[in-house]
Amino acid sequence: MRIFVTGASGYIGTAVVRELIGAGHRVVGLTRSAHGAQVLEALGAEAARGVIEEPDVLRRCAAASDGVIHLAFNHDFANFGASLAADLRAVQAMGEGLAGSGKPLVITAHANGQASEDAALAFVEQGVRASIVSLAPSVHGEGDKGFVPQLIRAARERGASAYIGDGSNRWPAIHRLDAAALFRLAVESAPAGSRLDGVGDEGIPFRDIAGAIGRRLNVPVVGISPEEAQAVIGFVGMVASLDLARSGEATKELLGWKPVHPGLLADLEQDHYFALSR
């Protein structure tokens, strides 16, 4: 298959590109920069210059492909509404490019992104094999700049690794390489209209995550109140007290997906998180 991938030069995108090429697919990756084009070409992919705010580019690239994986998203929390609107327009453009073809459109779920999900699924009636991948909130692995590094940074700065309340709330996670395998399986064979849960660790007690960080940094592990959480941990403090346990069993059964890479706690025993967070 010739697969068009948005966000192809990013943290998850590069893993997806490697996974697809390793399985014998051809990849065309969307990138906004010359550096991104060099990254993709080094991986063995073709680079298509453009941004997700250019619907004509997306429509044309989708139409020229055998399927689409949409990973790109502007995580600008200062204007999150604009990011969601841009994502919706991108999904609509790529769906239009695939309409009537029976080809797959795999999109990534985002918080409050129901409009994009609805738009993707609406294309099922127009002959698109659309599916939605919902990843766990922590997609961990080497190169991660998201949730886990923020916790590590906060623990360094405060001199203590914090959990909220009694820390029994559960946090799901997935290794980026297992996520890449899921996206490949989705574009290859996910049924039209399917929703796929990308979850490896179904629910790690948050105090265990804080404990692993505390041991690696040699700092105390402490409980804090929900009121303190945002000030201490930053943005993730808004969600770090939530119980978010999820299961990926239905997805495993549907696609034969088997996460094989280290879970989050095992990954925190590696040096890469602590080297990147200094």
Side-chain angles (χ1 to χ4, degrees):
M1 296 172 68
R2 185 176 192 269
I3 301 172
F4 175 53
V5 181
T6 72
S9 61
Y11 169 62
I12 298 174
T14 51
V16 170
V17 170
R18 287 191 186 97
E19 175 75 21
L20 291 170
I21 291 174
H25 299 294
R26 295 170 56 204
V27 176
V28 178
L30 184 73
T31 181
R32 66 173 64 235
S33 69
H35 173 70
Q38 291 173 351
V39 169
L40 291 174
E41 289 164 1
L43 292 173
E46 177 185 339
R49 294 291 292 272
V51 295
I52 60 169
E53 292 83 7
E54 296 176 315
D56 289 344
V57 172
L58 299 179
R59 193 178 295 109
R60 182 174 66 253
C61 289
S65 73
D66 297 315
V68 173
I69 297 176
H70 177 42
L71 302 170
F73 190 82
N74 181 7
H75 291 91
D76 179 7
F77 294 106
N79 194 356
F80 198 61
S83 297
L84 291 171
D87 188 64
L88 173 59
R89 290 192 294 271
V91 170
Q92 290 171 329
M94 290 183 287
E96 290 164 2
L98 294 173
S101 68
K103 296 175 182 177
L105 168 63
V106 182
I107 76 162
T108 311
H110 299 285
N112 300 316
Q114 190 63 49
S116 291
E117 295 178 28
D118 291 344
L121 296 180
F123 279 107
V124 171
E125 296 183 1
Q126 299 183 45
V128 178
R129 182 164 58 82
S131 62
I132 299 166
V133 173
S134 180
L135 296 176
S138 178
V139 182
H140 60 92
E142 191 164 0
D144 184 6
K145 294 181 174 62
F147 169 72
V148 171
Q150 290 184 60
L151 293 177
I152 295 171
R153 191 175 305 113
R156 286 186 187 277
E157 293 172 355
R158 190 170 187 260
S161 181
Y163 56 84
I164 296 85
D166 66 3
S168 62
N169 61 298
R170 296 161 296 173
W171 195 265
I174 183 174
H175 196 285
R176 69 189 283 258
L177 300 182
D178 288 322
L182 175 56
F183 277 106
R184 174 183 60 79
L185 289 169
V187 80
E188 288 175 344
S189 61
S194 55
R195 294 178 179 269
L196 308 168
D197 272 305
V199 178
D201 292 310
E202 296 188 356
I204 307 167
F206 200 93
R207 63 172 171 262
D208 292 352
I209 300 172
I213 293 170
R215 286 192 300 275
R216 286 305 307 263
L217 296 180
N218 196 27
V219 299
V221 180
V222 299
I224 59 175
S225 68
E227 291 73 24
E228 294 176 273
Q230 190 170 355
V232 172
I233 307 178
F235 173 77
V236 295
M238 296 173 61
V239 294
S241 63
L242 300 177
D243 188 46
L244 299 175
R246 287 167 47 189
S247 173
E249 288 305 311
T251 298
K252 296 173 187 176
E253 190 171 323
L254 179 67
L255 297 181
W257 175 58
K258 296 179 180 179
V260 296
H261 294 279
L264 176 55
L265 294 180
D267 211 4
L268 281 168
E269 296 301 322
Q270 307 304 310
D271 291 334
H272 62 84
Y273 266 116
F274 298 90
L276 288 172
S277 302
R278 289 171 183 162

